[in-house]
């Protein structure tokens, strides 16, 4: 009779191979009923775990996987720099995985953990649900998330206060006399963009201004998307005087559209973005933007995930919030271009 494998045990017990692994590793997440089914199948097949295979699985690769939605966006580049610097300082390498805005690819990259290609994975603003991410953490894998809070005891997260970002931008624009403010959203599933929209709404309410759904459009965090979204809004109704773009890439798209329409910035249209990437200082006027500590967000999470791999991460809530600040420049306030 051929040697039994873990997949054979899973088939007999009618569970997943991952559940069999949990039983073999003594995981408390398995119910007594499921544990008994697996143990019965193990006995029936006379299955013995491969000690050599177990040893290979437990061997560290000294590599972190970093999964990003779009490697071409500057937001991700700064975060990756921070991750790489911290990882290298701790003798780790990083493997960059570009999911191309596809949830399916994010799941595929998480399989790197299962086959031990990497020791841990950092997800940057993932499209996966909290439950999908938590299911891998439940298997004992080291996972960290940037740009989103999960509130999971085994998943460290680093983020900024996106509600505050939205409120701060509206407060600034309202103080400069703007009453009809457009908002350019990112990906539909992106939590940071959703939270910035909520902060935008709160800021409007605090300023005594109405929220106008017809002044919200989606730019998918890209320059082309911001350009197209602004054009749609302008063709629909040109009575707004300011635009809050949920990132700087979309703000650059707004600049392109305004140039084509002959709309003067900031005299006719104020523009504010998020991230304060370098190119915002190379256009005229410079783009007002909320500076996020992207490098620090990446470095902090790399440090926490490596601690998690080594069993050194302290128990308890693992949400780390880093402060951001609005940098006012010439795109939203006259005479503010030199800072």
């Amino acid at each position: 009779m051929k040697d039994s494998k873990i997949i054979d045990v899973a088939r007999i017990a009618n569970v997943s191979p991952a559940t069999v692994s949990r039983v073999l590793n003594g995981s408390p997440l398995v119910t007594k009923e499921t544990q008994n089914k697996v143990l019965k199948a193990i006995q029936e097949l006379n299955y013995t775990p491969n000690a050599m295979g177990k040893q290979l699985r437990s061997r560290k690769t000294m590599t972190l996987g970093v999964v990003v939605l779009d490697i071409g966006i500057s937001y991700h580049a700064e975060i990756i720099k921070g991750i790489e610097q911290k990882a290298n300082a701790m003798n780790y390498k990083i493997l960059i995985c570009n999911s191309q805005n596809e949830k399916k690819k994010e799941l595929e990259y998480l399989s790197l953990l299962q086959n031990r290609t990497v020791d841990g994975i950092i997800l940057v603003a993932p499209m996966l649900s909290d439950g999908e991410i938590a299911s891998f953490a439940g298997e004992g894998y080291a996972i960290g998330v940037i740009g989103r809070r999960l509130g999971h005891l085994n998943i460290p997260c680093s983020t900024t206060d996106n509600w505050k970002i939205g409120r701060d931008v509206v407060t600034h624009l309202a103080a400069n006399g703007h009453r009809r403010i457009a908002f350019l959203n990112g990906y539909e599933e992106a939590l940071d963009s959703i939270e910035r929209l909520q902060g935008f709404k709160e800021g409007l309410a605090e300023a005594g201004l109405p929220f106008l759904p017809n002044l919200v459009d989606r730019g998918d965090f890209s320059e082309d998307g911001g350009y197209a979204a602004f054009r749609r809004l302008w063709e629909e109704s040109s009575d707004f005087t300011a635009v809050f773009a949920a990132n700087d890439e979309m703000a650059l798209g707004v600049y392109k559209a305004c140039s084509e329409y002959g709309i003067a910035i900031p005299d006719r249209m104020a523009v504010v973005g998020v991230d304060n990437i370098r190119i915002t200082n190379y256009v005229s006027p410079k783009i007002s933007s909320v500076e996020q500590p992207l490098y620090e967000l990446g470095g902090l999470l790399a440090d926490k995930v490596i601690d998690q791999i080594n069993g050194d991460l302290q128990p308890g809530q693992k949400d780390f919030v880093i402060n951001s600040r609005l940098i006012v420049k010439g795109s939203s306030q006259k005479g503010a271009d030199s800072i």
Side-chain angles (χ1 to χ4, degrees), residues 8 17 19 26 35 42 66 69 101 104 120 124-125 127 140 145 167 172 199 210 216 235 271 298 302 314:
D8 300 316
T19 298
Q35 184 183 48
I42 287 173
V66 182
L69 293 175
N101 305 316
K104 179 182 177 183
V124 183
M127 302 178 76
V145 175
R167 291 194 302 270
H172 163 64
V216 176
E235 296 295 336
V271 181
Q314 295 299 312

Side-chain angles (χ1 to χ4, degrees), residues 154-165:
N154 295 319
I155 303 176
C157 304
S158 67
T159 186
T160 50
D161 188 339
N162 288 299
W163 282 278
K164 181 178 182 297
I165 288 174

Side-chain angles (χ1 to χ4, degrees), residues 91-105:
N91 297 317
Y92 274 76
K93 302 298 182 186
I94 67 169
L95 177 64
I96 301 171
C97 308
N98 185 13
S99 70
Q100 298 177 321
N101 305 316
E102 293 183 22
K103 184 175 178 179
K104 179 182 177 183
K105 286 191 175 181

Side-chain angles (χ1 to χ4, degrees), residues 6-20:
I6 197 169
I7 194 170
D8 300 316
V9 176
R11 178 175 51 79
I12 295 296
N14 195 29
V15 298
S16 70
T19 298
V20 177

Side-chain angles (χ1 to χ4, degrees), residues 19 197 295 322:
T19 298
L197 176 57
Y295 187 89
I322 300 180

Side-chain angles (χ1 to χ4, degrees), residues 57-115:
R57 286 192 298 274
S58 65
R59 188 176 300 162
K60 289 182 180 178
T61 65
M62 302 302 290
T63 303
L64 297 179
V66 182
V67 182
V68 299
L69 293 175
D70 185 349
I71 195 65
I73 294 178
S74 299
Y75 169 86
H76 294 137
E78 283 300 308
I79 287 175
I80 289 169
K81 287 179 185 177
I83 293 171
E84 186 170 36
Q85 189 278 332
K86 176 59 68 172
N88 288 346
M90 302 177 77
N91 297 317
Y92 274 76
K93 302 298 182 186
I94 67 169
L95 177 64
I96 301 171
C97 308
N98 185 13
S99 70
Q100 298 177 321
N101 305 316
E102 293 183 22
K103 184 175 178 179
K104 179 182 177 183
K105 286 191 175 181
E106 287 188 345
L107 283 169
E108 289 174 355
Y109 285 133
L110 277 172
S111 68
L112 295 174
L113 287 168
Q114 294 175 315
N115 62 31

Side-chain angles (χ1 to χ4, degrees), residues 111-230:
S111 68
L112 295 174
L113 287 168
Q114 294 175 315
N115 62 31
R116 303 293 173 173
T117 303
V118 297
D119 297 331
I121 274 187
I122 296 175
L123 300 167
V124 183
M127 302 178 76
L128 295 172
S129 69
D130 290 4
E132 287 168 322
I133 297 171
S135 67
F136 280 84
E139 301 284 346
Y141 297 119
I143 298 176
V145 175
I146 293 176
R148 181 163 137 200
R149 297 180 304 278
L150 271 69
H152 191 287
L153 294 178
N154 295 319
I155 303 176
C157 304
S158 67
T159 186
T160 50
D161 188 339
N162 288 299
W163 282 278
K164 181 178 182 297
I165 288 174
R167 291 194 302 270
D168 287 352
V169 170
V170 174
T171 298
H172 163 64
L173 291 172
N176 280 273
H178 298 285
R179 295 293 176 264
R180 297 178 68 84
I181 305 168
F183 179 77
L184 301 190
N185 225 333
Y187 307 120
E188 188 175 6
E189 307 87 351
L191 187 61
D192 51 357
S193 184
I194 293 170
E195 291 177 346
R196 285 168 200 170
L197 176 57
Q198 293 304 317
F200 172 75
K201 292 178 179 179
E202 291 176 12
L204 290 172
E206 290 169 4
L209 301 175
F211 170 67
L212 304 171
N214 64 307
L215 292 184
V216 176
D217 208 323
R218 226 174 79 198
D220 291 338
F221 285 138
S222 70
E223 183 176 339
D224 287 345
Y227 168 79
F230 181 88

